[in-house]
Structure formats: C-alpha cells, structure tokens
Amino acid sequence: MEDFNTNKFKLLKMLLVALPLLGLSLIATPSGTFAAADDAAALSAQTENETYRGIVRCAKTGHLLQNAHIRVTGSTGVHAVSAADGSFSLHFPAGFTSGTLEVSHVGFRSLSLNFTALSELPDELLLDPVRLNMSPVSVVAHHTVGRPKNGLDISEAAFTPIDSGAFLREAENVSGVRRGGFGIDPVVRGHSGSRLNIRVDGVASSAAACPNRMDPPTSHIRLSDIERVEIHHGPHALRFGPAFGGTVDFIRHKPETSPQFRVQGDVRLALESNTGNRITDARLHLGNARYDLMLSGGLSATNDYTGGDGIKVPAGFESSDFGAEIYFRPIEGHQLHAGFSQSYVRNADFPALPMDMAMDDTFKLKGGYSWNPTDIAGLSGLTFDAYYSFVDHEMNNHKRGNFAMRDAVALAETESWGLQTEAGGMLNTLRWTLNASYSNQQIDGTRFVELKAGPNAGNSMTYNLWQDAIIQNTGFFAGGDYFYESWTVSAGFRLDYNTAEARNLAPRFAGTDTASEHINVSLSGGVSRELSANTGISLYAGRGVRSPDVTERFINFLAIGRSDFEYAGNPNLKPEATNQLDLVFRSRSTDGALNVQLNSFAALMQNYIGGVRNENLQPMAEAPGVMEFQNRGDVFTAGFEAVAEYRLPSVVRARLSAAYTYSEYTNDGSAVAEIPPFESRLTLTGLFSSRIIPEIGLRRVLTQDRIDTGFGEQKTDGFWLADLGLRTRVLSSLTLNAGVRNLFDEAYSEHLNRNINPAVNEEGFKLTEPGRRFFLELNLRF
C-alpha cells in the first residue's frame, strides 16, 4: 500500500480534491477581462465575415441533434458544434465562395455537401442514423418516440428485447452472462463487471447489490426510455469516469421543445411464446417552450422456458416500474431538470446460482442544470448533474430442494450517490472539455442460515457479506479535439483519487487494515485522417487505470456464482491498468450504397485481478476451497469487429458483421476466462409496398475451447441460428412486429452462460438458451 504520510502525498491529495473545484470556478465565470476581450474580438471578426446559420436534425425522427460537428474542408477555422437546439453558425472569411461542407455526429452517417455559394446550403442538415462511427464506438439504436409517420423506415428492425443486457448482445463483440431469465450481465470484448462503466446520459446510475450480480447495473435501466446505446471500446472515453475495458452509455429520449403546448406518447405491447415473455410499456410527453413533462411505466414478466433439447429451464420473474422527469427552461439557454424512477422485481429464478432472487427494489433520483450560452466566445455549454440510487435486494433458497435441510436468506443494500459537472466549447478549431466528478458507493449485506435437519438442527449462522464497505472516487478530466483540414487530433487526461474502507469487519478480516487509497492517472490520444470524402482511418492509444471493486476487496468467503469455490476479498490489491491501441478504418461508396468499417485492437493489461486458489484458507460452508482475489500478472488481448453493409435504394439491405477476441496470460499463455468465441451475423432486410419490411437473420458462432478451467469454464460447442421477422404499419399510428426466433429450434448455449446449480439439477450442465419462440409486438404512437 502507498505511504500517504509524507508531506508530498498529503499535498498531492489536497491538490486532487481542489483541482476540480478550482477548474469549475474558473469555467463558471462568464465575465472578466479575458472574456470581454474575446467577445470584442469575436464581434469584430464577425462583422467582416459572411455567416451561414442552420440546424441539424435526425433524418429519421426529426429530433434536433446537439454536438454535431460542422466544418468546411480546405479551410482553416471554419468549424462549429451544434447547440442543444441543433443550431450552429459558420463564419466564412470575406471572399470565400466554394468548398465542401461536412457534418458528423456519433451514431449518424456523415454528410458531405459541395457548394459554390453560401446560398446553396440548406437551412436544415439531415443526418441518417447508423450503427457505427469513426471512433472506436459502437452505436445500437433502440426505438424512437415521436409523432406518427406515414412512411416506414427500413433501418428499423423487429425485435422484442427482454432487458437491457439482452439488448446489448445485438452489438458486435458484446456478450452476456446468463444466470437465469433476468439481468443478463454484459461483457464487452471480454470485459465485465467493474471493468465496464455503465452510464445513463454520461452519468452513473446505480450499482449492483447482489454479490452474485443477479442485478447488474443494466438491469436497473428501463429500456423503453432509451433511444440508443453508445458502446465506447477501450480506455478512451475518460470523461465518463475511470475507463478500463469500455464504457456503455445509455442515451435517453430527450424532449424536443415546441412553441405550443402538445401531447404525444407511445404504448408498446409484446408477447413471446416459449419464454412467456409479456411486456407492456407506456410513455407520455407533454410540454411547450417553457417546460416538458415525461411520464413512463411498464409491466413485464416471463415464465420458465424450454431449450432446443427439450429441457425446461427455471427462468421466471415479474417486474414493474414507473418514473417521471421534468425539464424547465426559465430563460433562453438555461434548463433545469429533475426526475425519479422506481422499479420492483419479484420471484426471479436463477438456476445457475445457489439461491433465487425474492425481491429487488431500486429507487433512483436525479437532477441537473445546463447552460448553453450563445454570446461567450469559446464556451458552448456548462452542465451540473447529481444522482442518488438505493437498491434493496433479497435472495433465498425457499424454492430449492435443499430448503428442507436449511433455510438460507441473504439481504443486501447498496446506496450510491454522486455529482458531476462539465464544461465544453470551441476555440477556433479546438473543441475542449473539462469534467469533474465525485462518486460514493456504500454497500452492506448479511446472510442468515438456519439448519433444519441433521445433528446441528436448530442452530443458526450469520455471515457478514460486504463488511459495510464504502468506496469513494474523485476525478478530474481534461480533453480536446483539434481539427485541421482533413486531420483530427484527440487527447484526454484523467486523474482519480480512490479510497475504500470496510467499517464492520468479519472475523476472518479482524485485525487487518482494510483501508486503501489510490491515485490513478489515465491517458488517451488519437489521430484521424480523412483519406477522401468517403474514406478515413483513425489510430487511438490509451492507458486506463481502475481501482479494485467492492467484491474484489471485501467479499467475505462466499460462493458468488463464478465457480463452486468460495471467494475471499483482498483489501491490498493494486489497481489494474490497460494499455490499448485501436485502429479504425471506414469507407463508403460514392453513392452511399456500400459501407465498410473495421475496428481492430490490441491491449496489455497489467496487475490483472482474478481469483487464485489459496490452500491456506478454509471455506466457511460446503465448497471445494477458497479463491482469493489477487493481482495475477499481465494479460494480452487482441481482436476485431468488422461490418459491411450494402443497400439498394429503398428495396434491400444486407449487413454482414464478424467479431473476435483473443486473450491470454503472458506468463504461461493460458486462456483468460469469459472470452466469447468468434461469431458472425448476416441480416437481410427488404421493403415492399412502402408498408411491409421482412427480415432474415443468420448467426454463426464457433466452438470456444480456449477456456480457464480454474475459473470453472467448460468447452462450448458452436452453433447456427436463424431468425425471421416482419414489420408493417397497420395504421398511420400503429405498427406491428412479428416473427420467430431460433427458427430451427437449435439446442445451444452461449459460452458465458453459467452451469446449472446442482441443487436445481444434479447433472450441472450449462444453461441453454431458449428454443424456438414466436413473438408479436404492437406499437401505438400518438
């Protein structure tokens, strides 16, 4: 552990706490000598320039797009970023007559317009949404909310996702850990748990309470509130927090302001055979130029399902949720927002774990303020966000066969809250961002066991699961993107001060120092080059550092579903670090019909944290031994995601993708756990009579025999899957989706699925995925 008693480290700790506050105080001061000088210079320059003003919208939904980048190639300094209302202004030097206007935005296809006079440029720039972008980011669209349209967009696919984790598996190189029917835990390029940052609109949302991760953070996110998901690969999205393996940012639907009062919304009803999945969602949006109120709620449930082999898998659960959010704009450029949500999950079966989830209640509260000035040179926005979440979790063995022998109940609570503020803007051709954040996570839990049979009948035991742990993190980020002709240079720096402590020590940890504090430095940089109007290449390099999580530090001898072994925390762990390169190439044909993108990566992870058998530790219950979390050494990882898309005008679209990740320990070349196998997908989509869209999906997954036997992994056979879907507009406001998944009733298991617990089935085979199932979905918009 670092020695923090020296004056040098004391000064550094004080500086880490003061830096974010100092930076924010400077940013939040819009007046002063320098600001006045910049305003005067900008006003003088604008009087000599020609100005082009416009707005940027999504071509599919009409939503206004913030943070779109607009620039003119072949010029210096003609660049802008769209504001919250989609507006922008470009100031051209006197005499400038012709050029190429380029518009780009994460999750949208870039737009290029040649012009010989400013009068040729349109007032509105419309961008088509796509799944991938130039940077190492995957964008997966969910569904849009807006007024009914007469047309039907071919880019919308028919699907009925069960939860947020299941939906993420639609993206390339994203898998999920299945332990039951609820809460699939996402894995991106082999990274899971705390190696992933899960965010909602760039801000932390909630944390898991269950030591078995029955309730990963994604399970607390209401998918119907989400418009799209941005998956930032690698340690490059440092502004969102300590980035290691990646950041998954769920982007919520934003209200589009209207000068007049209006009411709109949508209702979704979905049914699926085999799983018995039932979903009811409703959203209501009302507002005007001054305020917007958004209400949402839903009910969902599933039953046990049958795999392609005919074996029934316990996977039922029931859930309900509701929430409200309000946006208030007291004056132009200023906006206040606040919201809350509450979700309830009951009777969720987890056949791969020692117990089932009896209940999981989550309460979330958030609020914030944003300011988008139009008259301050260099500053385009300032935001402040705060959040609070509380998760109350209970699991037990009351539906298991061993309940006759013992009654086991585990109660866990997680309380999380934090603050974040960010400022950004444009200085000539430099886009800059400053971000400061603080997070506080407190988690506690107790397991109660009462013996009901045998020689110890009547005795009881109590286990302290988390030892009343607290982890705090204070971070500061500074980054920027410099645009010069066809080049873009990006750089980011992040500093984190992380502390942790257990405040109610279990007997096995008594007398030890569980307090730890880490100072972590993360860096990222990238260079992008537009080789032509339709082709570009990017190279990103980054180093991300993360401190150990609460399980790795403080779990108290508990089997947490990774294997049959009990796991013991280690407060003396060192932080992990990853050093990664990402190479991104993309190209599209002149007519836009063919698009190709390749993301390749390689990383060296240092001080990798994993479970190691410790013969000196004895388990507290019936287990083959104890795995202690240790820094196992270095890990090398490499892989790629490749996508090719071909589209015929308004008729047919074909999309082919492939992804693979390879990972090994550098000391002996052995495999790292939870690495998905190679897989590829082919999707064919058509459009007939402007009302009917059929879709055929094929998925091929190869055998995964590179396994970590110490983790409890087993070889997983490859498989083929075929899906059929149909989407049609019944009425102007009513859309119907229908189809069949796993058309040929394939018996298969995803590699990351856990083994069924022997208390559920003595054979302990790997959880299978559902067999053939038909689905029907109705969407009503008004």
Side-chain angles (χ1 to χ4, degrees):
M1 185 179 297
E2 301 285 353
D3 182 5
F4 284 88
N5 295 323
T6 64
N7 292 332
K8 180 178 180 181
F9 273 95
K10 287 182 178 179
L11 179 61
L12 183 55
K13 288 196 295 182
M14 293 174 62
L15 181 61
L16 281 173
V17 175
L19 263 177
L21 301 178
L22 176 60
L24 293 175
S25 65
L26 293 175
I27 296 166
T29 305
S31 60
T33 303
F34 295 104
D38 288 342
D39 287 346
L43 181 61
S44 175
Q46 290 181 24
T47 59
E48 299 176 0
N49 297 346
E50 293 188 66
T51 301
Y52 163 52
R53 293 182 174 86
I55 60 174
V56 185
R57 290 183 181 272
C58 173
K60 184 171 71 172
T61 67
H63 288 175
L64 300 170
L65 298 181
Q66 183 181 8
N67 293 327
H69 298 281
I70 307 98
R71 66 178 180 140
V72 176
T73 59
S75 64
T76 301
V78 183
H79 186 275
V81 177
S82 61
D85 61 356
S87 65
F88 67 90
S89 298
L90 291 180
H91 305 290
F92 292 87
F96 193 95
T97 58
S98 62
T100 300
L101 182 75
E102 294 194 348
V103 188
S104 62
H105 192 286
V106 172
F108 292 85
R109 195 184 312 279
S110 297
L111 175 68
S112 295
L113 297 175
N114 296 321
F115 64 94
T116 57
L118 297 185
S119 58
E120 297 176 358
L121 295 174
D123 295 333
E124 292 190 356
L125 301 175
L126 303 179
L127 299 185
D128 293 320
V130 293
R131 289 171 61 95
L132 298 172
N133 193 267
M134 189 61 192
S135 59
V137 179
S138 295
V139 179
V140 187
H142 179 215
H143 81 290
T144 58
V145 175
R147 294 189 179 279
K149 298 180 296 182
N150 293 326
L152 193 61
D153 195 327
I154 193 172
S155 65
E156 297 180 4
F159 63 90
T160 309
I162 297 175
D163 64 13
S164 298
F167 172 67
L168 288 176
R169 294 198 293 183
E170 300 289 328
E172 286 74 35
N173 226 346
V174 180
S175 305
V177 177
R178 179 187 285 277
R179 304 174 178 93
F182 176 82
I184 291 180
D185 204 356
V187 178
V188 179
R189 289 182 174 177
H191 298 290
S192 61
S194 59
R195 293 189 177 99
L196 295 178
N197 279 334
I198 306 299
R199 295 290 185 265
V200 177
D201 290 334
V203 181
S205 178
S206 62
C210 176
N212 291 299
R213 289 185 69 86
M214 292 177 174
D215 59 342
T218 50
S219 69
H220 302 145
I221 298 174
R222 191 170 185 274
L223 189 57
S224 60
D225 290 336
I226 303 304
E227 181 176 295
R228 68 183 190 278
V229 183
E230 297 177 357
I231 304 171
H232 301 259
H233 298 286
H236 307 300
L238 299 176
R239 57 175 284 212
F240 295 107
F244 186 83
T247 298
V248 182
D249 191 17
F250 289 81
I251 308 299
R252 291 167 52 90
H253 293 286
K254 301 298 188 302
E256 183 177 340
T257 59
S258 172
Q260 298 177 344
F261 179 79
R262 64 176 179 177
V263 177
Q264 63 183 39
D266 71 314
V267 178
R268 182 170 66 117
L269 305 175
L271 297 172
E272 187 176 65
S273 66
N274 192 347
T275 64
N277 187 22
R278 307 175 295 281
I279 298 176
T280 304
D281 280 323
R283 291 170 48 86
L284 179 66
H285 169 215
L286 51 91
N288 56 23
R290 181 59 61 89
Y291 75 92
D292 287 281
L293 175 63
M294 303 180 73
L295 305 174
S296 62
L299 301 170
S300 62
T302 65
N303 301 330
D304 300 342
Y305 66 79
T306 302
D309 52 8
I311 297 178
K312 180 168 287 190
V313 176
F317 72 88
E318 300 173 353
S319 70
S320 61
D321 54 76
F322 61 91
E325 191 162 5
I326 188 168
Y327 297 81
F328 177 64
R329 294 169 286 275
I331 57 177
E332 184 177 358
H334 297 261
Q335 178 173 273
L336 298 166
H337 72 271
F340 82 95
S341 65
Q342 181 80 58
S343 65
Y344 306 90
V345 181
R346 296 289 184 271
N347 304 318
D349 295 328
F350 284 87
L353 297 176
M355 293 187 282
D356 297 312
M357 184 165 72
M359 59 160 281
D360 190 272
D361 294 348
T362 303
F363 174 79
K364 294 191 289 186
L365 185 68
K366 67 176 184 177
Y369 162 77
S370 62
W371 175 41
N372 298 106
T374 58
D375 56 351
I376 298 180
L379 179 64
S380 61
L382 175 66
T383 62
F384 177 83
D385 292 284
Y387 69 91
Y388 170 84
S389 71
F390 179 78
V391 182
D392 187 10
H393 178 84
E394 177 185 343
M395 54 184 176
N396 59 48
N397 71 331
H398 293 176
K399 295 192 294 182
R400 300 296 177 91
N402 58 9
F403 180 61
M405 301 294 295
R406 64 178 183 273
D407 182 354
V409 177
L411 306 176
E413 296 179 348
T414 297
E415 189 174 31
S416 305
W417 65 276
L419 306 170
Q420 176 175 291
T421 186
E422 182 173 288
M426 286 289 300
L427 292 172
N428 294 322
T429 59
L430 173 67
R431 182 187 65 184
W432 59 273
T433 303
L434 294 178
N435 181 294
S437 61
Y438 169 80
S439 64
N440 182 304
Q441 181 185 137
Q442 302 180 44
I443 183 168
D444 198 12
T446 307
R447 184 186 183 197
F448 305 92
V449 178
E450 179 183 351
L451 301 178
K452 302 168 63 177
N456 295 318
N459 294 337
S460 62
M461 295 174 287
T462 302
Y463 300 83
N464 184 347
L465 297 178
W466 296 112
Q467 307 182 78
D468 192 14
I470 179 173
I471 296 181
Q472 303 177 80
N473 195 90
T474 301
F476 176 76
F477 166 79
D481 300 290
Y482 177 73
F483 305 93
Y484 177 73
E485 295 184 349
S486 58
W487 292 86
T488 301
V489 180
S490 305
F493 166 83
R494 183 172 184 88
L495 192 63
D496 288 286
Y497 174 52
N498 184 277
T499 65
E501 183 181 6
R503 299 170 293 184
N504 181 20
L505 298 183
R508 295 275 182 113
F509 290 82
T512 63
D513 183 10
T514 63
S516 60
E517 43 189 358
H518 304 132
I519 295 176
N520 301 327
V521 177
S522 300
L523 303 167
S524 179
V527 178
S528 298
R529 172 79 160 92
E530 295 292 334
L531 304 178
S532 69
N534 302 314
T535 303
I537 190 170
S538 299
L539 178 65
Y540 287 82
R543 175 179 173 84
V545 182
R546 77 163 185 104
S547 294
D549 62 29
V550 64
T551 300
E552 296 162 341
R553 280 164 156 157
F554 300 125
I555 194 67
N556 180 31
F557 293 83
L558 185 71
I560 55 177
R562 303 190 181 195
S563 65
D564 295 333
F565 289 83
E566 288 185 354
Y567 279 76
N570 182 357
N572 298 316
L573 289 170
K574 299 177 182 178
E576 282 185 338
T578 183
N579 308 278
Q580 182 165 316
L581 287 174
D582 285 85
L583 181 64
V584 183
F585 172 83
R586 61 104 175 132
S587 183
R588 72 176 186 270
S589 60
T590 304
D591 59 1
L594 176 63
N595 288 274
V596 178
Q597 178 153 326
L598 172 65
N599 291 10
S600 57
F601 63 93
L604 178 65
M605 290 177 278
Q606 300 169 302
N607 294 321
Y608 189 84
I609 298 174
V612 178
R613 177 76 179 272
N614 190 333
E615 300 288 352
N616 297 322
L617 298 177
Q618 298 301 314
M620 298 181 67
E622 297 179 1
V626 176
M627 303 282 281
E628 182 183 41
F629 284 106
Q630 297 179 11
N631 294 108
R632 295 188 56 174
D634 296 345
V635 167
F636 172 76
T637 300
F640 68 90
E641 299 96 36
V643 177
E645 185 176 85
Y646 182 74
R647 181 195 298 250
L648 293 175
S650 302
V651 179
V652 176
R653 185 186 66 177
R655 188 177 191 276
L656 176 64
S657 65
Y660 178 68
T661 297
Y662 175 90
S663 190
E664 68 175 24
Y665 291 99
T666 58
N667 59 346
D668 58 8
S670 61
V672 178
E674 292 194 315
I675 304 300
F678 172 90
E679 75 167 73
S680 59
R681 298 173 186 254
L682 173 63
T683 304
L684 300 174
T685 309
L687 178 62
F688 298 97
S689 303
S690 301
R691 298 181 66 87
I692 300 176
I693 298 179
E695 181 176 281
I696 301 174
L698 299 175
R699 179 173 174 234
R700 172 58 173 161
V701 178
L702 299 186
T703 298
Q704 180 59 293
D705 52 11
R706 282 189 52 80
I707 56 176
D708 183 351
T709 56
F711 187 84
E713 283 192 309
Q714 300 173 346
K715 172 186 173 182
T716 306
D717 294 331
F719 55 87
W720 284 91
L721 285 182
D723 300 329
L724 295 177
L726 183 70
R727 181 181 179 88
T728 182
R729 187 172 299 282
V730 181
L731 301 171
S732 62
S733 59
L734 181 64
T735 302
L736 181 145
N737 300 334
V740 55
R741 294 194 179 109
N742 194 356
L743 177 64
F744 300 110
D745 205 21
E746 178 80 9
Y748 73 102
S749 295
E750 301 285 358
H751 178 62
L752 300 182
N753 289 3
R754 297 291 193 247
N755 290 341
I756 286 184
N757 190 274
V760 177
N761 189 305
E762 294 182 355
E763 296 182 10
F765 53 85
K766 182 171 289 189
L767 273 176
T768 57
E769 291 289 317
R772 184 189 298 116
R773 55 209 188 274
F774 298 89
F775 68 88
L776 178 68
E777 181 183 62
L778 291 174
N779 289 275
L780 175 65
R781 298 183 182 182
F782 56 89

